Amino acid sequence: MNIDGESLTLDALAAFESERPRPVLAPAARARMSASCAAVARAVSEGRVAYGITTGFGAFARKRISADQVIALQYNLVRSHACGIGAPLAAPLVRRLILLKANSLAVGASGIRPEIVDALLALVANDVLPRIPERGSVGASGDLAPLAHLALALIGEGEADHRGEVLEGAAVMRAAGLEPVELQAKEGLALLNGTQLSTALAIEGWLRARRLLGVSLLAGAFCVEALAGSYAPFDARIHAARRLRGQQAVAAGMRSLLTGSPIHDSHAGCDRVQDPYALRCMPQVFGAVHDTLAHAGSVLELEANGVSDNPLVFGDEVLSGGNFHAEPLAFVSDFMAIALTELGNISERRSDLLTRQVNPRLELFLTMEPGLESGFMLAQVSAAALASENKTLAHPASVDTIPTSAGQEDHVSMAPWAGLKLLRISENLAHIVAIELLASAVAIDRMRPLATTAPLEALHARIREHIEPHEHDRRLDRDIAAMAALVLDGGFDNLLPDTPIVW
């Protein structure tokens, strides 16, 4: 895997977890980094004023630092900013964060030696994963506190997980085949000042959202058949008239799944003129989600190859700006949170339709013996509870700000919280959609010997590989958990329609 500061893709980051290629700093990036590092050294030797190099940080930006203190300044920064709180990030997120940090530094505008990136990549290559708390960042100036814990590991003062053991101090870098890093001018600041936690969380949310949109499309089409719904709302002419790309792509996906079936033929003469919105308006709702994810993906891929620390080095100039501000990431995490919440809202409505005899062939709550049994009554309640929770979690984090550093950092993004909320919403959504899939599968069972479409029969078979048919009341929590895990782990990915959608 070539780390060059310009060609890292979201798909490559996703594939890294399963393929684990060895990441290596590209020669061109190494040359750029060396040049910017030399420029920093010249700024120090010439006594120039450069933020975070020959000055203090934040509210101490006007405090000059002498040449003999520039190294101590960097160590003090790392140690004092290691104020992370909460559970350590999951291993895949730590790997992704390190790759993102390495790729950002590889651009060659941060004034840091290539040996530092080599050290970061050695941690990943040897699966030595620094313990990085998930909370404590407001997303400007970058993700300071969490990234300080990464820097602590590099300098031999942090902790890391490796092969089931917790390593501390110099043992961390030695497990990666190196000695602890000795920081030079600006290097602590370059490591801490960046949006890599915010980006890693948002990318994880995007990857989950992409999968969840695909499974929602499967579940929605499955539910159309389970409710003996109409295919007419997916007619290409309707969606071409509105011109929205995502809506047209989703409708095409629906048409590829709803290809005609004995179930569909069985209600050809029914008197239902229109289906409820939760069925009829799926292309409009899912299409809006699609377009939100397409926008978010474009922003995230640019950020993955951008520079988000401060100050930046251009030739011999050291310029102070604000690329550390994670507002773009906060926005897209919030946008995705809203989009996934809507997928959950409309899925829960379809689960409700499945339980109240919209399809006259089905008993109330999908029971076999109404009254004696409760069927899916409480499964729908659980879906409603999670949908409600998501509505609260979808409140935008990016509209909040609290000034920090004595008012010097007077507007912040809250992007990490936006990302953490997004992941919680995605987990809830997986369970909401799992309930819909389980209920639809029961509905299809109850309509036998009538069959659904070939693509949806494959979906039904996949569900039944993991979940036994529901004939009488039994506990459903384990079925829901197993189905949600299958959703999140990609168990339905190979059943997705071949249409131009973001997956």
Side-chain angles (χ1 to χ4, degrees):
M1 184 180 196
N2 222 27
I3 300 298
D4 60 9
E6 58 188 20
S7 62
L8 188 60
T9 66
L10 301 185
D11 285 338
L13 286 170
F16 184 84
E17 277 305 303
S18 58
E19 298 173 4
R20 296 289 181 86
R22 188 175 186 87
V24 178
L25 182 62
R30 188 176 297 277
R32 292 193 301 267
M33 292 184 69
S34 296
S36 73
C37 189
V40 168
R42 286 193 294 273
V44 173
S45 66
E46 294 168 8
R48 282 186 267 151
V49 177
Y51 174 77
I53 302 173
T54 57
T55 76
F57 306 104
F60 289 128
R62 296 184 180 181
K63 176 71 174 178
R64 289 292 302 274
I65 304 299
S66 63
D68 63 339
Q69 294 179 312
V70 294
I71 304 300
L73 177 70
Q74 301 303 310
Y75 279 93
N76 288 344
L77 174 72
V78 172
R79 292 164 181 155
S80 67
H81 283 45
C83 295
I85 295 166
L89 287 175
L93 286 172
V94 174
R95 283 187 281 267
R96 187 169 298 151
L97 180 151
I98 294 174
L99 290 173
L100 289 166
K101 171 56 77 174
N103 199 56
S104 179
L105 297 176
V107 173
S110 301
I112 190 170
R113 289 170 295 155
E115 290 82 359
I116 303 297
V117 170
D118 291 336
L120 289 169
L121 298 181
L123 290 173
V124 175
N126 291 281
D127 212 34
V128 181
L129 303 180
R131 289 204 158 187
I132 300 173
E134 65 182 10
R135 298 166 67 194
S137 171
V138 296
S141 292
D143 298 316
L144 294 169
L147 291 174
H149 289 267
L150 171 61
L152 274 182
L154 287 174
I155 66 173
E157 298 180 17
E159 300 81 37
D161 292 299
H162 179 57
R163 297 178 180 173
E165 296 184 31
V166 179
L167 306 179
E168 295 187 23
V172 171
M173 292 309 300
R174 287 171 184 158
L178 299 170
E179 289 298 312
V181 165
E182 295 184 3
L183 297 176
Q184 294 185 6
K186 195 186 179 298
E187 291 185 335
L189 182 58
L191 287 166
L192 270 60
N193 210 329
T195 63
Q196 283 73 43
L197 173 63
S198 299
T199 310
L201 292 169
I203 289 173
E204 179 64 19
W206 185 84
L207 292 169
R208 292 186 188 184
R210 181 173 66 166
R211 174 166 285 157
L212 287 163
L213 174 57
V215 179
S216 293
L217 183 67
L218 290 172
F222 203 33
C223 193
V224 169
E225 287 284 270
L227 291 171
S230 172
Y231 293 2
F234 313 115
D235 189 295
R237 293 168 292 183
I238 294 172
H239 307 287
R242 201 176 192 183
R243 304 184 188 278
L244 295 174
R245 289 178 57 199
Q247 180 177 323
Q248 293 181 73
V250 168
M254 283 291 184
R255 292 193 300 275
S256 73
L257 295 168
L258 298 171
T259 54
S261 71
I263 288 177
H264 184 253
D265 293 342
S266 72
H267 60 87
C270 73
D271 61 358
R272 193 195 306 170
V273 177
Q274 291 185 329
D275 290 326
Y277 289 178
L279 292 180
R280 188 168 19 127
C281 298
M282 284 188 286
Q284 290 78 9
V285 175
F286 291 5
V289 174
H290 170 279
D291 291 345
T292 298
L293 297 186
H295 167 68
S298 66
V299 171
L300 293 173
E301 198 152 282
L302 290 171
E303 185 75 2
N305 291 284
V307 184
S308 57
D309 67 282
N310 181 64
L312 299 181
V313 180
F314 302 97
D316 252 3
E317 290 189 86
V318 181
L319 302 180
S320 189
N323 279 5
F324 50 72
H325 203 297
E327 193 84 332
L329 302 168
F331 276 17
V332 296
S333 290
D334 282 341
F335 298 162
M336 289 189 286
I338 292 168
L340 293 192
T341 296
E342 276 295 270
L343 285 182
N345 287 339
I346 199 169
S347 173
E348 182 276 326
R349 289 293 80 207
R350 291 193 301 272
S351 291
D352 176 66
L353 293 172
L354 285 161
T355 62
R356 54 189 175 97
Q357 288 186 294
V358 171
N359 181 349
R361 292 190 181 95
L362 306 175
E363 295 289 353
L364 194 64
F365 300 119
L366 301 173
T367 54
M368 291 289 282
E369 299 184 56
L372 178 64
E373 297 178 344
S374 295
F376 272 68
M377 181 189 296
L378 261 290
Q380 185 270 325
V381 171
S382 292
L386 295 178
S388 178
E389 182 178 310
N390 279 357
K391 292 172 189 177
T392 302
L393 289 170
H395 178 82
S398 56
V399 300
D400 185 27
T401 181
I402 298 177
T404 60
S405 192
Q408 176 71 8
E409 298 162 2
D410 58 346
H411 183 277
V412 299
S413 72
M414 301 299 179
W417 174 229
L420 289 167
K421 292 193 302 96
L422 172 60
L423 299 188
R424 177 68 175 269
I425 288 170
S426 72
E427 291 166 3
N428 287 345
L429 174 58
H431 287 79
I432 294 170
V433 175
I435 291 168
E436 181 187 358
L437 286 166
L438 291 169
S440 291
V442 170
I444 297 297
D445 288 336
R446 300 289 159 79
M447 287 191 284
R448 297 301 192 199
L450 297 178
T452 182
T453 68
L456 295 177
E457 283 292 345
L459 173 61
H460 182 272
R462 181 66 50 81
I463 293 169
R464 287 287 168 254
E465 287 173 11
H466 298 270
I467 307 295
E468 293 182 0
H470 186 275
E471 296 178 351
H472 296 285
D473 275 356
R474 67 168 190 251
R475 61 184 298 177
L476 291 175
D477 58 320
R478 292 170 179 168
D479 292 355
I480 295 168
M483 187 58 51
L486 197 64
V487 168
L488 285 173
D489 293 343
F492 298 106
D493 286 1
N494 68 333
L495 301 179
L496 298 176
D498 185 18
T499 53
I501 297 181
V502 291
W503 56 70

